[in-house]
Amino acid sequence: MTAVVLISVNLRPGASSVGPVLAEVRDGVGMSPAVAGLMTALPGLCFGAVGLLAVGLARRLGMTLGISLGLLAVVVGLAGRAVTGSVAVFLLLTALALAGMAVGNVLVPAWIKRHARDGGVLLMTLYSAGLTAGGALAAALAAPVAGLTEGGWRPAIGVWGLVAVGALVPWVLIARREHTDPADHRADAIAGAGRLRHSPTAVALTLLFGVQAMNAYVQFGWLPQIYRDAGLSATQAGALVSLLTALGIVGGLTMPTVIARSRTLAPWMVTFGVLLVGGYLGLLLAPATLPWLWASLLGLSGFAFPTSIALITARSRDPRVTARLSGFVQPVGYGLAAVGPFAVGLVHELTGGWTLVLLLLMGSGVVMALAGLRVSRPTLVDEELART
């Protein structure tokens, strides 16, 4: 349990700690605006691209050792980029850290499925909440730490490399105890990598995860500007994003248990879509009138994230299928997450406003609800693959 909690908290700070001190980072290493823009897209790109390779790594080395190596990459990348003065080295080390996080994103749900005695409900609850809490904590502390320490932005982002060491230690100990798990090396006759696209549940879960992730990254990247353009101060806009994030932690603590105890998830999926549409509709019609309400609606719709993460284990039986499903769902989802904020910025620039952006995002709520309705059926991916 301790190992799962520690790694969950360390799978987001590398991505979320830079934003609040981005201006200082740019000045410190001489980074151009174009390169800074590339760096903000790296999390989605690395989570998608490296996530595709994580299952192959686990097949060769075992899940536990693969996760341990991913954490080692996080430690080296986060600590190293905090001391370099080179833009190229900073980007390479950032990509290394994000690659390590991507390995954890894919393999930890499968590891939980293999080792949990209750089907993974408790550990997935802790894992989902830890993901959100880690990302939120890193973003909230970056600017204050930079202002209080002599090194400025360097200790503010480098401290997370030291925190990751605390997560690495128990995973290395577990890996040494296990040495290697022969089950991880067995050929998986059920879940061939190319056959998951023939599973309707896997495809729908990928769409659910992807649309939700896209909206989350859009909200983190552009919601403050939407509020500021409506007349709110930067402090107010930041507080509203914090409210949205805090609700995500609540979702992580509740949704795995809801999934385990509910006969059907259909009402939840419809509710997520309605909340998402309602939040964007409020931003379209009266963004400054009840700003906390629109942020709350969007935050509650974000319960779809821990739901989709928990469904990776709930909609699979064999841990090897869970690993393949995780490696199928998350890379595509994070690919959408990388494209979403860029597309929003492009549409906003072309139209000069937020109306078309918000209408398109409202449409994504409908897509998310429809995908969620398909996933709400209590069907196992293992069984669908066995029929193909």
Side-chain angles (χ1 to χ4, degrees):
M1 180 183 297
T2 301
V4 170
V5 171
L6 288 175
I7 192 173
S8 69
V9 174
N10 281 280
L11 291 181
R12 291 297 180 271
S16 63
S17 60
V18 174
V21 291
L22 181 57
E24 291 78 5
V25 171
R26 285 180 54 192
D27 292 339
V29 298
M31 187 180 296
S32 69
V35 174
L38 171 63
M39 189 179 66
T40 60
L42 275 180
L45 295 174
C46 289
F47 287 170
V50 180
L52 292 170
L53 307 175
V55 175
L57 178 67
R59 291 176 63 186
R60 289 178 172 83
L61 303 177
M63 288 185 192
T64 306
L65 183 55
I67 292 170
S68 300
L69 290 175
L71 274 171
L72 179 60
V74 172
V75 171
V76 173
L78 295 188
R81 73 177 184 177
V83 298
T84 183
S86 165
V87 174
V89 174
F90 188 94
L91 290 175
L92 287 173
L93 290 173
T94 297
L96 176 65
L98 292 170
M101 295 175 207
V103 171
N105 286 337
V106 171
L107 296 186
V108 172
W111 190 93
I112 289 173
K113 186 70 173 182
R114 180 180 294 281
H115 292 85
R117 297 180 179 178
D118 64 347
V121 175
L122 175 59
L123 287 180
M124 285 305 296
T125 298
L126 296 173
Y127 175 71
S128 298
L131 286 175
T132 305
L137 191 62
L141 293 179
V145 171
L148 292 174
T149 56
E150 184 177 345
W153 64 269
R154 293 186 184 275
I157 67 172
V159 67
W160 293 103
L162 300 178
V163 174
V165 172
L168 176 61
V169 171
W171 282 98
V172 169
L173 294 176
I174 295 171
R176 287 187 62 184
R177 186 174 69 241
E178 293 182 354
H179 295 292
T180 183
D181 186 349
D184 283 335
H185 294 275
R186 291 198 300 262
D188 189 350
I190 298 175
R195 296 175 62 189
L196 279 171
R197 66 179 183 272
H198 298 303
S199 164
T201 299
V203 172
L205 183 54
T206 301
L207 187 58
L208 172 66
F209 182 90
V211 172
Q212 193 286 322
M214 179 197 71
N215 277 280
Y217 276 65
V218 167
Q219 290 160 17
F220 293 146
W222 289 106
L223 186 59
Q225 191 60 51
I226 294 174
Y227 275 129
R228 294 187 69 177
D229 287 350
L232 276 67
S233 68
T235 301
Q236 290 174 308
L240 290 166
V241 174
S242 297
L243 170 62
L244 183 149
T245 304
L247 289 171
I249 298 175
V250 176
L253 290 171
T254 57
M255 290 313 299
T257 301
V258 168
I259 292 171
R261 296 183 178 181
S262 297
R263 292 185 177 181
T264 176
L265 295 175
W268 289 95
M269 298 302 183
V270 173
T271 299
F272 294 153
V274 171
L275 288 170
L276 190 65
V277 172
Y280 287 133
L281 181 62
L283 290 173
L284 177 64
L285 299 179
T289 303
L290 294 172
W292 59 268
L293 177 59
W294 316 136
S296 297
L297 292 180
L298 294 176
L300 291 171
S301 75
F303 281 27
F305 171 70
T307 299
S308 59
I309 289 289
L311 282 172
I312 292 175
T313 57
R315 291 295 181 262
S316 56
R317 180 187 295 116
D318 190 317
R320 293 167 294 168
V321 177
T322 305
R324 295 295 180 90
L325 182 60
S326 184
F328 180 75
V329 168
Q330 297 198 60
V332 176
Y334 284 119
L336 284 174
V339 172
F342 173 78
V344 165
L346 182 61
V347 173
H348 174 59
E349 183 176 353
L350 291 174
T351 62
W354 295 108
T355 299
L356 182 56
V357 167
L358 292 171
L359 289 173
L360 291 173
L361 291 173
M362 288 167 63
S364 74
V366 177
V367 175
M368 188 174 78
L370 292 174
L373 286 173
R374 180 61 183 81
V375 178
S376 66
R377 302 178 188 178
T379 304
L380 293 174
V381 171
D382 312 55
E383 296 174 352
E384 291 181 336
L385 293 176
R387 293 194 292 266
T388 60

